Amino acid sequence: MELEVEGLRMVVMQCHILVYYNYYQRDTKGVVLNNYLNHLITTTTNMTKLMEWLTGAILFLGPWTAIVTTTIHNEFTVMHYQEILLLPFLLVAVFAVVSIAIIAFRVYSFNDCHQEAKELQEQILQAKADLAKRGIKLD
Amino acid sequence: MAGGDKYSVLLPTYNERENLPIIIWLLCKYLGESNLEYEIIVIDDGSPDGTLEVAKQLQEVYGQDKIVLRPRAKKLGLGTAYIHGIKHATGNFVIIMDADLSHHPKFIPEFIKKQKEGNFDLVSGTRYTGDGGVYGWDLKRKIISRTANYLTQILLRPGASDLTGSFRLFRKEALQNIVKACVSKGYVFQMEIIIRARQFGYTIGEVPIKFVDRVYGESKLGGSEVIGFAKGLLYLFATT
């Protein structure tokens, strides 16, 4: 019985992978993972992105609230109460810092296409000369 | 190389009298050199600067099979311009691009190659990955652009790296279905195209492009564009 379930799970996984390879073929590994998970979430839940975020927030903040109000408490939560209390704020802060670092790096590494601009200027002159020969006057 | 495929380039124009001859010359050069079946559909929205007259002269030079004129009486928006153009397109693939020379036609053969590689429904040009890039943007513009792009990636997880670009290749029926489903305007319209494409289950390939910001005329990115973008992003976040 367990083997059957496991086999079925593997088949489902493989179907997903097939679907993904046909539909979400990408150049980089990072995008592959993002798209595959994204595809699974979107097709299985059919939620808007806002609902996904709210669901995530409730799944996280629900237990968190229960712990910080000591509705739920055990040895672990009592021992690490301070850390748990600060966890959401810490996560937001880390996310902000990482985001700023990523954006800063991307701004820094944004290609400046000087060569392309030069090439275009030359081609504009070529085009004007050629079109003038064919009877189209440009200012 | 053609393999029975024909490519219809949609060029919506408004006051592009200076740019139009150049972009058409470049299109004919690169598409001709690649031995592609193609046509260029100019959709001029009643430009007061005489863009249409220039287009007519170009049609005489290049022929009515290559340059197709489908003008409209007044400015009616990009979405309806695409629909209008598709109606008259005889190709099975459609390419959308700006006529202001920021999108170089030399990338079109790369789009086509990419489309064939993955049998994609849509190939989108991207300024943000690989060899892609921009020319003519100052630091402020780069920061705004990268931040907007990052936020979009986090909130919408679109599976494409350049959402606000408008240099793309589509299967004709894909573009038709997507545009009919779209409700937004401007930058947000280009974003919505990708989101709707995903909803339809269309596959997306990407090609890095080098974007040379407007040679003639002003490129605009002010406070009202940023606010419009933020509203559009939140709209798509809450509804899709």
Side-chain angles (χ1 to χ4, degrees):
Chain A
M1 183 62 193
E2 260 180 25
L3 264 175
E4 263 175 39
V5 172
E6 185 59 22
L8 193 65
R9 207 179 64 83
M10 290 300 286
V11 170
V12 170
M13 278 281 287
Q14 277 168 7
C15 285
H16 278 310
I17 289 167
L18 270 178
V19 166
Y20 143 65
Y21 264 112
N22 287 326
Y23 284 80
Y24 291 87
Q25 202 170 21
R26 305 308 265 181
D27 295 336
T28 58
K29 282 234 164 74
V31 183
V32 164
L33 185 65
N34 171 38
N35 277 350
Y36 184 45
L37 289 177
N38 200 0
H39 175 72
L40 280 185
I41 293 168
T42 317
T43 50
T44 49
T45 65
N46 202 23
M47 284 190 285
T48 64
K49 291 289 180 285
L50 175 63
M51 289 308 290
E52 286 175 18
W53 279 79
L54 287 177
T55 308
I58 290 164
L59 286 177
F60 179 82
L61 291 176
W64 179 78
T65 314
I67 292 167
V68 296
T69 54
T70 63
T71 315
I72 297 172
H73 58 98
N74 55 36
E75 206 181 326
F76 180 83
T77 61
V78 172
M79 252 181 75
H80 298 279
Y81 186 82
Q82 278 295 324
E83 291 90 328
I84 293 169
L85 184 67
L86 291 174
L87 187 62
F89 305 100
L90 187 71
L91 287 176
V92 169
V94 168
F95 178 70
V97 170
V98 170
S99 296
I100 289 167
I102 289 174
I103 292 169
F105 177 74
R106 288 179 179 176
V107 169
Y108 167 75
S109 61
F110 215 157
N111 289 330
D112 277 313
C113 311
H114 294 286
Q115 192 54 44
E116 305 291 315
K118 225 179 96 191
E119 185 194 337
L120 180 62
Q121 289 303 335
E122 285 162 11
Q123 288 185 328
I124 288 171
L125 295 177
Q126 279 176 30
K128 282 183 173 171
D130 186 48
L131 287 166
K133 267 190 253 165
R134 297 173 189 231
I136 293 182
K137 279 176 277 166
L138 296 162
D139 345 279
Chain B
M1 165 147 187
D5 291 324
K6 182 169 179 180
Y7 300 88
S8 301
V9 180
L10 302 189
L11 272 187
T13 58
Y14 188 76
N15 287 347
E16 301 285 3
R17 186 169 57 96
E18 283 183 72
N19 292 322
L20 190 68
I22 316 286
I23 193 75
I24 285 184
W25 185 85
L26 286 168
L27 278 165
C28 291
K29 174 179 156 72
Y30 285 96
L31 297 177
E33 280 172 4
S34 307
N35 291 319
L36 297 162
E37 277 284 305
Y38 70 95
E39 65 184 355
I40 302 162
I41 302 177
V42 180
I43 304 140
D44 186 60
D45 277 5
S47 303
D49 77 339
T51 303
L52 189 58
E53 281 66 44
V54 174
K56 281 177 184 159
Q57 289 179 33
L58 288 159
Q59 193 181 37
E60 279 167 29
V61 170
Y62 289 101
Q64 295 195 355
D65 57 325
K66 288 279 179 280
I67 315 285
V68 181
L69 306 181
R70 294 287 174 246
R72 303 189 297 175
K74 59 179 166 88
K75 227 176 171 192
L76 292 166
L78 211 49
T80 58
Y82 291 154
I83 292 286
H84 182 74
I86 293 165
K87 271 190 216 148
H88 302 284
T90 60
N92 53 335
F93 286 98
V94 173
I95 293 152
I96 63 168
M97 64 189 297
D98 293 348
D100 63 3
L101 303 178
S102 55
H103 296 148
H104 200 295
K106 73 178 172 185
F107 294 109
I108 293 175
E110 292 177 34
F111 280 43
I112 291 168
K113 190 169 151 246
K114 178 57 106 179
Q115 190 284 322
K116 289 191 193 299
E117 255 173 49
N119 194 26
F120 294 110
D121 298 306
L122 192 174
V123 176
S124 178
T126 175
R127 296 161 289 184
Y128 299 115
T129 60
D131 292 332
V134 292
Y135 175 80
W137 283 12
D138 59 10
L139 185 64
K140 183 185 152 203
R141 179 89 195 241
K142 284 181 180 175
I143 292 171
I144 293 173
S145 168
R146 279 299 195 183
T147 308
N149 184 263
Y150 181 80
L151 280 174
T152 311
Q153 295 297 334
I154 296 289
L155 293 180
L156 302 181
R157 301 197 312 277
S161 59
D162 192 343
L163 279 273
T164 50
S166 52
F167 193 3
R168 291 168 179 160
L169 178 148
F170 301 80
R171 277 185 214 286
K172 184 160 73 177
E173 68 279 7
L175 179 60
Q176 195 154 22
N177 292 335
I178 292 166
V179 173
K180 277 182 183 163
C182 287
V183 294
S184 317
K185 305 249 177 289
Y187 285 121
V188 183
F189 172 64
Q190 302 299 346
M191 270 165 53
E192 194 177 358
I193 283 181
I194 297 288
I195 306 300
R196 300 289 174 208
R198 286 287 186 220
Q199 287 182 333
F200 279 110
Y202 291 138
T203 54
I204 302 175
E206 291 197 311
V207 170
I209 59 157
K210 295 183 165 97
F211 177 93
V212 177
D213 213 349
R214 295 186 68 103
V215 177
Y216 302 112
E218 279 284 295
S219 166
K220 55 182 182 350
L221 183 69
S224 63
E225 274 78 27
V226 172
I227 290 165
F229 175 85
K231 276 187 187 165
L233 178 59
L234 290 177
Y235 170 78
L236 290 174
F237 178 65
T239 60
T240 66

